[in-house]
Amino acid sequence: MLQFTSQEMAVIRKNTSQDIIEQIIQDNQVVLNSDTLVPPDARATWNLYYFCPTHGVRLSWDRNRPTEHVCPVDGEVLTGEPYDGAWWRWLNGLNSKACNDLGLLWQVTQDKQYVNKVREILLGYAEYYPTYQEHGGIPYNGPGKANAQTLCEANCNLDFARGYDFVKEQLNAEDQMFIEQRLLREGAEFLMQHRADQLHNHEMKISATIGVIGLILDDQKFIDFSVNTPYGLKYQLEHGVKGEGLWFEGSIHYHYYALQALLNFEKLACKTEYSLQAVPNFHTMLAFPLKLLINTGDFPRLNDCIAGQEKLTHSHLFEFGYREFKDPLFASALQNIYQSKPRNNIDALLYGVNELPVVEPLKCQPIHAEQSGITIMHNEEHDNMLLVKHSPYGGEHDHYDRLGIIITRNGKEILPDLGTTGYGAELHYGYYKNTVTHNTLAVNQKNQPPANPTVNQFLEDQKYTWLDTQADWCGELPTVDSHTIVQWDLDSYKDVVFRRQILWLGDAAIEFNTVENPHRQQLDMIWHVRGQHRSLASTQGCDNPLDGPLARMTSCHEVTLKESIDLCYSIEQQTEFNQQVITDCSASLLLGYAPDNPATSDLAYTILRSQEAVLKVATVHNLTQSDEIRMSDLEWRSDVINFTLRKGGVEQSVSINQETGVVLGV
C-alpha cells in the first residue's frame, strides 16, 4: 500500500473509533446493502442535471427508482432525460466513493466483506470501462467514458485508484492485472488525451488523478505528465494563483476545489521527490481565502457557488495543511469547523496531528486585496459588513457583475450575492449567472462583458473607509488563459464607464455611482434585498417591462424618481431596513420580486432606470436598526463631494476630496 506505511496504518487502526467505523458504514449503506450495480454502457451523464427546474434544488436520489426523480420541495416526480442519465452518474459516484471508503474500512477492521465489495466494484468497472463510448456535450468540458465529462471521469478514477491501493494485497495477480490494465491505466490514458491546455480547476483535478494513478502503479510517464508538463499541477500553481493568493476563477468554492485536487496528489506525494509543497503558491493558496470569511460565518457566494458550498467545512484540507505547515491560521480554520461538531472524522484520523493548539477561531476582518479584487469593510461593534467585487475577469465560473456589492447588517446578509444552482438547471444560465441578478449596473438588461476594474483610491481611517473603483468597456476586452463561451453583449456596453465610490461609516454605507453612457443605452442600477418592500402600496402597479432573466419578476411597481426617495424593507428577525436614493438625473424606479436562492422564496428588487448620457446616483444604506440616517444638500463635483448627513437627529457637513479620498466631517 502506497498511501500509508504498515506502521502508520497500525497507528490509524489503533486510533479508529467505533463512531468513525459506523459513520463510514452509514455513508456507504446504499452500496453495502444492495447488489453491486455497474452501468454496462455509457448511459451516465452529468450529476448537475439532477436538479429541479422549478426550484433549483437537488432532486432526491433513490437507488430503487432509477426512472423516477422526486423534487423535495413539492414532491413532483420527474422522468426521462436528463434525469435518468444523471441518476446513473450519481450511482457511479457512490460506487467510486465506496471503493475508497470501504478499502479504508478493510484496513482498519480486517473484515473481508469490505474487500469483497471493493473487488466486485473494481472488477465490474474494469469489465466495461474499455468499451464505454466517449460521450459529453457538457458546456466547457471534455468528454467522458463512464460519465459525460472529463472532470467526472477524474473524480471517479481517483477513488477507484485509492480504493485499489487499500485492497491490492488481498487480490490475486489476475485480478490485479485486470483492474490495473482495463480500469486504472485505461482511465489515466483517457484523461491524458482529454486534459485541456488551459488554467482551470478541472485540469487540476484531471492532473491530480493521473498523478495518483502514476504513483500507485509506479508509472513515471503518468507522474511526469501530471506534475511537470504545461498545464500540469506545478504550472497551474504557478500561473493560476493571482495577486494576494486567490485562484484566478474568482470563486472561493472553486479555489478550494482546485486545492482539493492538489492535496489529493500531495497526500501521496508528500514523502516523495514529487512533493509540491516547496512551490510558494501552495501555502498561499491554502491560506488566503480564510481572510475572506464574512460575518455570517461563511464565505461570500462569489461567482459559481451552489448553495451550501459557501460553508467552511474543509477539514480534508486543513487537517493535512496544519500537519504539514504548522500554521496557526489552519488551526483556527479547524477551530471554526469543529465549533459545531466533534473532531472525530476520517480527515483527522488519517492526516491530523494528535492534538490541535489552543487558538482563536477565525472571524470577519477588513481586507483590501486590490489584485485579487475583493474589498471587505467590517464594523465589529454593530457587526455590519460591505463587500465590493472588483476582481479581474476569471473565465467560465465567473459571473458578470463587476463592482457588485454584498451588505450584511448585524451578521445577516440583506443585500446578498445569490451564487447559483446546479448547472444543468435552467435557473443557472437563465437567472443566477446574469448581471441583472446582482447588486451592480446592467445595460439593456444584458450581461456585462469581461472587465478588469481599477482601484482609483482606497483610504482607511479610524472613522471611515473610502473606496473608489471603476470598470469600463472602452477598449479591447481582457482575456484569460481558460476556455470561455461568449454570454455577454459588447454592443450594449460599448464605451460605458462605471465608477462606484463607497463611503463606509460602520453604521451606514453610502454609494456614489457614476455611469458614462455616451450612446444613451438603457441603464439599470440594481439592488436586491432579502426582505419585503414596505412602500408598494403608495406606488403604481405596472406590467413587467423587462425581458431576459428578470422577465420572471412579479408584483411590479413603477415610480418616477424626483431627486430623492426613501425606501423601506421588512427584514425577517430584524427591524426595518431603510435606503435613500438620490439623483438629479431623469430616472425611474422599478420595484418587484424575483427568486432568491433556493428559488422557494423571493427577493425584493429595486431597479433605478435611466438613459442619461451621464448618470449620477447616490444611495444611502442605513445599517442601524433604529436611527434615522439621511443625506441632503448633495453637491457632487469632479473634485469634491459635499453633503449634509443627518444621523440620530444630529446634522454634520461632510466633504470628500475625490483626488485623495480624504473625508472631512464624519
Side-chain angles (χ1 to χ4, degrees), residues 301 303 305-307 399 413 416-421 431-432 437-438 528 530 594-597 603 605:
R301 287 190 197 175
N303 298 329
C305 177
I306 296 173
H399 286 193
E413 202 172 30
D417 189 313
L418 302 181
T420 191
T421 185
Y431 183 71
Y432 292 117
T437 55
H438 294 79
H528 57 222
R530 189 161 278 149
D596 200 339
N597 189 7
L603 296 159
Y605 273 77

Side-chain angles (χ1 to χ4, degrees), residues 84-128:
D84 289 355
W87 186 95
W88 285 94
R89 168 62 185 94
W90 192 298
L91 177 72
N92 282 343
L94 291 178
N95 282 339
S96 59
K97 179 180 183 297
C99 282
N100 185 39
D101 287 359
L102 301 182
L104 172 63
L105 203 54
W106 148 251
Q107 287 289 340
V108 299
T109 66
Q110 302 291 285
D111 188 331
K112 276 283 190 178
Q113 68 167 312
Y114 303 124
V115 170
N116 294 337
K117 178 59 77 169
V118 175
R119 176 181 178 273
E120 285 180 13
I121 295 171
L122 291 174
L123 289 176
Y125 280 96
E127 173 73 27
Y128 295 115

Side-chain angles (χ1 to χ4, degrees), residues 612-625:
E612 291 277 352
V614 177
L615 174 65
K616 290 190 173 185
V617 181
T619 306
V620 180
H621 303 277
N622 182 350
L623 302 181
T624 73
Q625 297 210 50

Side-chain angles (χ1 to χ4, degrees), residues 292-307:
L292 303 180
L293 276 180
I294 62 175
N295 60 335
T296 61
D298 300 327
F299 295 111
R301 287 190 197 175
L302 299 171
N303 298 329
D304 279 350
C305 177
I306 296 173

Side-chain angles (χ1 to χ4, degrees), residues 52-64:
C52 172
T54 302
H55 303 104
V57 297
R58 195 180 295 275
L59 300 174
S60 299
W61 189 90
D62 188 330
R63 169 65 170 76
N64 299 311

Side-chain angles (χ1 to χ4, degrees), residues 246 249-251 300-304 369-370 372-377 386-395 397-406 417 433 438-440 448 451-455 467 469-471 498 500 502:
L246 189 63
E249 292 180 271
S251 161
R301 287 190 197 175
L302 299 171
N303 298 329
D304 279 350
E370 183 169 343
S372 295
I374 297 176
T375 298
I376 293 175
M377 309 172 196
L386 182 142
L387 181 149
V388 184
K389 174 186 171 183
H390 48 93
S391 56
Y393 175 60
H397 288 295
D398 210 333
H399 286 193
Y400 310 104
D401 64 326
R402 287 308 170 275
L403 308 192
I405 62 173
I406 301 171
D417 189 313
K433 199 174 175 71
H438 294 79
N439 298 302
T440 188
Q448 296 176 358
N452 291 345
T454 57
V455 174
L467 175 67
T469 187
Q470 182 171 305
F498 175 30
R500 185 165 237 172
I502 293 178

Side-chain angles (χ1 to χ4, degrees), residues 129 133-135 142-147 149-150 153 157 184-195 206 210:
Y129 197 85
Q133 296 298 306
E134 291 185 16
H135 60 295
K145 281 171 67 72
N147 307 289
Q149 65 166 349
T150 317
E153 213 70 14
N157 283 325
L184 301 185
R185 290 188 184 277
E186 185 88 13
E189 293 283 358
F190 177 81
L191 294 175
M192 287 173 64
Q193 294 171 24
H194 293 285
R195 192 189 74 186
I206 293 163
I210 296 167

Side-chain angles (χ1 to χ4, degrees), residues 265-548:
F265 174 81
E266 187 64 26
K267 286 172 181 177
L268 277 74
C270 61
K271 302 169 189 173
T272 75
E273 62 187 289
Y274 307 111
S275 172
L276 292 168
Q277 290 185 35
V279 179
N281 280 342
F282 192 115
H283 179 274
T284 301
M285 198 175 179
L286 260 173
F288 177 71
L290 295 174
K291 301 175 183 178
L292 303 180
L293 276 180
I294 62 175
N295 60 335
T296 61
D298 300 327
F299 295 111
R301 287 190 197 175
L302 299 171
N303 298 329
D304 279 350
C305 177
I306 296 173
Q309 293 174 341
E310 74 278 10
K311 302 295 182 182
L312 175 55
T313 58
H314 306 76
S315 58
H316 60 294
L317 303 182
F318 294 112
E319 288 285 3
F320 180 80
Y322 182 74
R323 188 190 79 181
E324 297 297 300
F325 291 102
K326 298 298 187 295
D327 188 332
L329 181 66
F330 304 154
S332 290
L334 293 169
Q335 177 74 11
N336 284 60
I337 292 169
Y338 296 133
Q339 282 179 332
S340 58
K341 63 179 182 180
R343 188 182 176 233
N344 185 22
N345 58 65
I346 295 174
D347 307 314
L349 173 69
L350 299 183
Y351 304 110
V353 298
N354 289 334
E355 189 171 338
L356 292 172
V358 177
V359 292
E360 290 296 317
L362 301 172
K363 59 182 181 180
C364 181
Q365 297 286 343
I367 184 173
H368 176 60
E370 183 169 343
Q371 296 175 72
S372 295
I374 297 176
T375 298
I376 293 175
M377 309 172 196
H378 179 242
N379 177 273
E380 188 171 3
E381 179 184 357
H382 302 289
D383 201 16
N384 300 326
M385 186 220 70
L386 182 142
L387 181 149
V388 184
K389 174 186 171 183
H390 48 93
S391 56
Y393 175 60
E396 171 195 355
H397 288 295
D398 210 333
H399 286 193
Y400 310 104
D401 64 326
R402 287 308 170 275
L403 308 192
I405 62 173
I406 301 171
I407 295 179
T408 69
R409 185 180 70 167
N410 193 23
K412 181 181 178 67
E413 202 172 30
I414 54 174
L415 269 75
D417 189 313
L418 302 181
T420 191
T421 185
Y423 305 155
E426 187 277 334
L427 284 164
H428 171 59
Y429 288 115
Y431 183 71
Y432 292 117
K433 199 174 175 71
N434 296 278
T435 299
V436 295
T437 55
H438 294 79
N439 298 302
T440 188
L441 168 75
V443 181
N444 295 336
Q445 287 285 299
K446 303 298 184 182
N447 285 337
Q448 296 176 358
N452 291 345
T454 57
V455 174
N456 300 323
Q457 191 67 240
F458 175 77
L459 187 62
E460 199 169 23
D461 185 84
Q462 289 185 342
K463 294 183 178 180
Y464 68 88
T465 301
W466 173 255
L467 175 67
D468 180 350
T469 187
Q470 182 171 305
D472 70 72
W473 296 273
C474 296
E476 292 188 12
L477 299 183
T479 59
V480 64
D481 188 11
S482 190
H483 302 335
T484 58
I485 298 173
V486 175
Q487 295 174 314
W488 54 80
D489 189 325
L490 183 57
D491 289 341
S492 290
Y493 287 82
K494 181 178 172 57
D495 300 325
V496 170
V497 178
F498 175 30
R499 185 179 184 185
R500 185 165 237 172
Q501 302 166 288
I502 293 178
L503 176 63
W504 173 255
L505 300 175
D507 56 1
I510 304 175
E511 300 177 44
F512 300 93
N513 299 297
T514 306
V515 185
E516 296 177 19
N517 180 30
H519 308 297
R520 290 188 173 269
Q521 307 282 18
Q522 176 64 63
L523 304 178
D524 289 325
M525 286 296 306
I526 300 159
W527 300 273
H528 57 222
V529 175
R530 189 161 278 149
Q532 299 286 318
H533 286 293
R534 296 280 293 171
S535 49
L536 289 186
S538 61
T539 61
Q540 181 178 353
C542 67
D543 294 333
N544 184 352
L546 306 178
D547 55 15

